[in-house]
Amino acid sequence: MDIQKVGIIGAGQMGNGIAHVMALAGYDVLLNDVNKDALDAAVALIDKNLERQVSRDKISAEDKAAAVARITSTQDLPHLGTSDLIIEAATENEPVKHKIFEALIPHVQPHTILTSNTSSISITRLASGTDRPEKFMGFHFMNPVPVMQLVELIRGIATDEPTFSACKAVVDRLGKTSASAEDFPAFIVNRILMPMINEAVYTLYEGVGNVKSIDSSMKLGANHPMGPLELADFIGLDTCLAIMNVLHDGLADTKYRPCPLLTKYVEAGWLGRKTQRGFYDYRGDTPVPTR
């Protein structure tokens, strides 16, 4: 099918990044969020990030103007019903996602493809709550969306081939690379990445090393661009914990048990960069380890 209009649910870190790359690739974008302030902030951030690309000669000023013109924001979820493709990028909470799709279904066109940007939740379960499980799949972008080249495409048990092909064509048009993943907890990237981050937290919890030594060891000893604790703060410790819980519950293996220290940080509200404190304290000029 010919996808021209893309609806995006959620104007947070992932949603605004998806809107950015979709508009730049020539799609008409309808960005939805229940919070008007979040929508206004997302549109302003997209403008700022596009301007940065102009200043670095990645795109032209004309490209930026055209992309901004393609983005419309709305607090009204039914407005997304005219979209050919809808990407849900709300919080990583399964009941919330089910409620969103339940509210959306009466308003979408028969041909509309529904997708979720979930990083770990079962696509088959999400699809089963809709009227079109064959036209439903996982469309998982990496963060930050404008920079990262990979998109995981996850088939649910009922996803048909035309739906997969249409989504793959979108990824190709974005100039990104798709990886096909089966619908098992956390898919590919987070199935491998999150246990590594969780193990880094255990290493901290058990006193094997402090925050600085753990991150320095992985950056200098394994050539990682960011240390695992620094990366956890960037992702959000609440998101890391949610994905570890999905892995632990879905695979019933003790190797996926979330570290108690990770749970403690989330209970404290120290979620990383977005709350100014996590494994590092970001309230000063330079991040300072908290342990």
Side-chain angles (χ1 to χ4, degrees), residues 86-103 105 114-140 154-159 183 187 246:
I86 294 176
I87 303 171
E88 172 274 313
T91 185
E92 191 70 353
N93 179 298
E94 188 168 344
V96 168
K97 293 181 187 294
H98 278 296
K99 285 179 183 176
I100 288 169
F101 285 118
E102 186 180 341
I105 288 300
L114 300 179
T115 69
S116 176
N117 183 59
T118 178
S119 52
S120 62
I121 296 167
S122 168
I123 298 303
T124 299
R125 273 204 312 274
L126 291 176
S128 70
T130 74
D131 64 345
R132 61 195 68 206
E134 73 286 350
K135 283 185 165 57
F136 192 110
M137 67 181 296
F139 209 131
H140 182 214
I154 306 104
R155 290 180 175 92
I157 198 167
T159 306
D183 185 24
F187 320 129
V246 167

Side-chain angles (χ1 to χ4, degrees), residues 201-210 214:
V201 183
Y202 265 114
T203 305
L204 179 65
Y205 175 62
E206 293 168 4
V208 180
N210 59 28
I214 292 167

Side-chain angles (χ1 to χ4, degrees), residues 55-285:
S55 69
R56 293 176 179 174
D57 293 325
K58 297 284 180 70
I59 63 173
S60 68
E62 291 76 18
D63 291 335
K64 178 203 165 181
V68 169
R70 292 186 191 105
I71 300 172
T72 305
S73 63
T74 178
Q75 288 180 265
D76 194 353
L77 188 65
H79 283 175
L80 270 63
T82 59
S83 304
D84 303 309
L85 168 68
I86 294 176
I87 303 171
E88 172 274 313
T91 185
E92 191 70 353
N93 179 298
E94 188 168 344
V96 168
K97 293 181 187 294
H98 278 296
K99 285 179 183 176
I100 288 169
F101 285 118
E102 186 180 341
L104 187 63
I105 288 300
H107 307 285
V108 296
Q109 302 174 89
H111 74 269
T112 300
I113 292 174
L114 300 179
T115 69
S116 176
N117 183 59
T118 178
S119 52
S120 62
I121 296 167
S122 168
I123 298 303
T124 299
R125 273 204 312 274
L126 291 176
S128 70
T130 74
D131 64 345
R132 61 195 68 206
E134 73 286 350
K135 283 185 165 57
F136 192 110
M137 67 181 296
F139 209 131
H140 182 214
F141 288 84
M142 305 296 124
N143 184 33
V145 179
V147 175
M148 301 297 279
Q149 289 301 303
L150 184 75
V151 179
E152 285 182 315
L153 294 178
I154 306 104
R155 290 180 175 92
I157 198 167
T159 306
D160 63 23
E161 191 57 38
T163 297
F164 178 84
S165 297
C167 289
K168 186 179 185 306
V170 172
V171 177
D172 292 343
R173 181 165 159 182
L174 295 177
K176 296 187 183 293
T177 300
S178 60
S180 178
E182 294 303 313
D183 185 24
F184 291 100
F187 320 129
I188 295 172
V189 172
N190 284 317
R191 172 76 177 263
I192 297 166
L193 176 64
M194 286 302 158
M196 184 197 77
I197 287 175
N198 195 51
E199 194 62 29
V201 183
Y202 265 114
T203 305
L204 179 65
Y205 175 62
E206 293 168 4
V208 180
N210 59 28
V211 169
K212 185 177 179 181
S213 63
I214 292 167
D215 277 352
S216 294
S217 294
M218 294 308 292
K219 284 194 282 189
L220 302 177
N223 207 27
H224 289 193
M226 294 174 76
L229 301 175
E230 182 186 3
L231 180 57
D233 276 358
F234 179 75
I235 294 167
L237 304 193
D238 52 339
T239 300
C240 294
L241 180 60
I243 296 170
M244 286 308 302
N245 280 325
V246 167
L247 280 165
H248 192 229
D249 295 344
L251 298 171
D253 192 323
T254 56
K255 73 180 180 180
Y256 299 116
R257 182 172 68 97
C259 179
L261 183 60
L262 178 60
T263 302
K264 193 63 66 180
Y265 268 73
V266 173
E267 288 174 346
W270 292 18
L271 308 181
R273 285 183 174 271
K274 61 187 172 186
T275 60
Q276 295 295 296
R277 276 192 291 188
F279 293 113
Y280 292 86
D281 188 325
Y282 299 93
R283 292 174 298 175
D285 294 334

